[in-house]
Amino acid sequence: MIATGASGNETRMQWAALTGVIATVSVFAIAQGLSYPLLSFILQRQGISPAMIGLSAAMTPVGFIVSSPLIPALARRFGAGRTALTCAALSAIMLALIGWTQNVYLWFPLRFLIGVVTNPLYVLSEIWVIALAPPARRGRVMGIYSTVISAGFAAGPLCLLAVGTEGWPPFLVGIAAFVFCGACLALVLQRLPKVDEAGHRVSVMGFMPMAWLLLSAVVVAAGFEQAVLALLPVYGTYYGIAEARMSALLSVMIAGNIAMQVPLGLLAERLTARLVRFICVSLTVLGCVLLPVLIETPLIWPCVFIWGAVSYGIYTMSIIELGERFTGSELVAGNAAFSLMWGVGGIAVPPLAGGAMDILGAGGLPITLGAICLALAVTTVMRRRIV
């Protein structure tokens, strides 16, 4: 009876810690989701060119890429908890400096630095969620985690409707969100598992040969998401579709992403994350084929809803499989490698798809995205054992 009670208490503490980490990530996502459109609106009011605005926004994912290889060493040297709390504080300071300077050229290094300091917070939180999730329920837990991240990013721009985009109020909301993020984390810090294990150490570069196909899936998922968000409105102009309708289509796509990650996670528990990821990739390819056929018909609405669900499902299934296959320093290095590959995909694929549209017209977008997804699907089939 004593053992059972202890086990029950331990389980409750585990779920409490898991809830705290997910709450931390949700607030972090809101702050990030608010900052991207806010800074773009401010630069637009200053008369900055779209190209310069795009370059400014690219500084944050560059910061992700640069900081990712450093995360395992930071977790070992200072402890994962201390590193995450420090990054939450530094994120608030960086956002305050951005609000104070209001200068496009100073924003380049500041947006780079905000990418550097927010990335460890995101990566370490994801590691804690994976480590705390009971193996039998990892699919649904990671589905909830993905849903919370997506909903947080979507809620960020909604905050701007309440506080506007001028002056300090929107920046104060973002700063408060980062501070609250750190407070949520501090409340559960003592219950979090150790991720800065001594012993066998794996670097980010050393991890890549161990799971190159998983990392390729992350590149595809990131590149797909960023390319669609940036170029689907442009795609609609080729067909003379109003901006309002294309914006609504993007909203439906994001809704599919938010609504369907938990069902996909439950499906992964019944099948396997590897098999569900292959299904997601295959359906994403099908969506690329159907896009030009359905874009001017009412069927495009359910199509993009499913498209949004399965395209992001590629990442959700990859993170589930990462947690199934790796622990300790390998898991830390793997999550950091995921973050690095997300930055690579987000930077590389949108220009590739945009260039294809310059050459091929509207068809360049679904052709490019379909091709990279098809390559991932074919490689998955050819590899009997995914590594």
Side-chain angles (χ1 to χ4, degrees):
M1 293 296 291
I2 295 175
T4 302
S7 177
N9 288 334
E10 185 176 338
T11 300
R12 284 191 294 272
M13 289 177 63
Q14 182 179 7
W15 283 105
L18 190 56
T19 302
V21 175
I22 291 178
T24 299
V25 174
S26 68
V27 179
F28 164 80
I30 291 170
Q32 287 287 85
L34 175 145
S35 65
Y36 277 99
L38 170 63
L39 302 186
S40 294
F41 284 134
I42 292 172
L43 292 176
Q44 195 171 31
R45 283 201 300 267
Q46 293 177 357
I48 305 300
S49 69
M52 185 68 79
I53 293 173
L55 284 174
S56 177
M59 291 300 100
T60 298
V62 171
F64 292 166
I65 292 173
V66 171
S67 63
S68 292
L70 307 176
I71 294 173
L74 288 172
R76 287 193 299 267
R77 175 68 179 82
F78 301 106
R82 187 179 301 171
T83 299
L85 286 174
T86 302
C87 286
L90 289 175
S91 298
I93 292 170
M94 289 299 115
L95 191 56
L97 287 174
I98 288 173
W100 179 57
T101 54
Q102 298 281 316
N103 182 290
V104 63
Y105 299 106
L106 290 176
W107 280 9
F108 273 84
L110 288 173
R111 294 186 82 168
F112 169 79
L113 288 173
I114 206 167
V116 169
V117 298
T118 57
N119 191 37
L121 179 62
Y122 171 76
V123 169
L124 292 170
S125 296
E126 193 165 82
I127 292 167
W128 282 318
V129 173
I130 294 171
L132 286 165
R137 298 183 179 180
R138 184 173 282 125
R140 73 192 72 183
V141 169
M142 298 314 298
I144 293 169
Y145 169 81
S146 295
T147 298
V148 166
I149 286 282
S150 300
F153 276 108
L158 295 178
C159 294
L160 297 179
L161 295 177
V163 299
T165 61
E166 297 185 4
W168 274 103
F171 287 98
L172 292 176
V173 170
I175 292 165
F178 280 124
V179 172
F180 187 66
C181 174
C184 290
L185 186 60
L187 288 174
V188 297
L189 200 58
Q190 297 303 317
R191 301 179 180 181
L192 298 179
K194 301 294 183 182
V195 299
D196 49 336
E197 297 182 4
H200 179 57
R201 297 178 178 180
V202 179
S203 67
V204 170
M205 296 301 137
F207 177 84
M208 289 186 176
M210 301 167 62
W212 63 267
L213 195 52
L214 273 180
L215 296 174
S216 300
V218 174
V219 172
V220 169
F224 184 95
E225 180 183 80
Q226 297 301 312
V228 168
L229 289 175
L231 297 173
L232 191 61
V234 180
Y235 181 86
T237 63
Y238 283 84
Y239 292 88
I241 299 173
E243 290 183 5
R245 186 170 189 264
M246 295 309 298
S247 296
L249 281 174
L250 277 178
S251 297
V252 169
M253 190 170 187
I254 294 169
N257 175 353
I258 295 171
M260 295 303 294
Q261 297 313 303
V262 173
L264 287 173
L266 291 169
L267 185 61
E269 291 177 8
R270 295 181 64 88
L271 304 176
T272 65
R274 188 180 308 180
L275 177 57
V276 176
R277 187 177 73 245
F278 177 74
I279 293 170
C280 287
V281 173
S282 302
L283 290 176
T284 304
V285 174
L286 179 60
C288 293
V289 173
L290 293 176
L291 180 64
V293 178
L294 302 180
I295 187 64
E296 297 180 283
T297 75
L299 291 175
I300 191 61
W301 299 96
C303 177
V304 297
F305 182 88
I306 296 170
W307 214 29
V310 295
S311 60
Y312 194 77
I314 298 171
Y315 180 80
T316 301
M317 295 306 110
S318 298
I319 202 72
I320 291 171
E321 187 175 342
L322 179 73
E324 291 172 349
R325 292 174 52 188
F326 301 101
T327 58
S329 64
E330 291 179 349
L331 180 59
V332 177
N335 269 94
F338 268 40
S339 180
L340 191 155
M341 290 297 104
W342 186 271
V344 168
I347 289 174
V349 177
L352 180 65
M357 292 178 76
D358 286 341
I359 298 170
L360 303 173
L365 179 64
I367 288 172
T368 302
L369 298 180
I372 63 173
C373 292
L374 183 61
L376 179 62
V378 170
T379 306
T380 301
V381 171
M382 292 176 64
R383 295 287 297 182
R384 293 185 178 181
R385 180 177 180 273
I386 299 174
V387 296

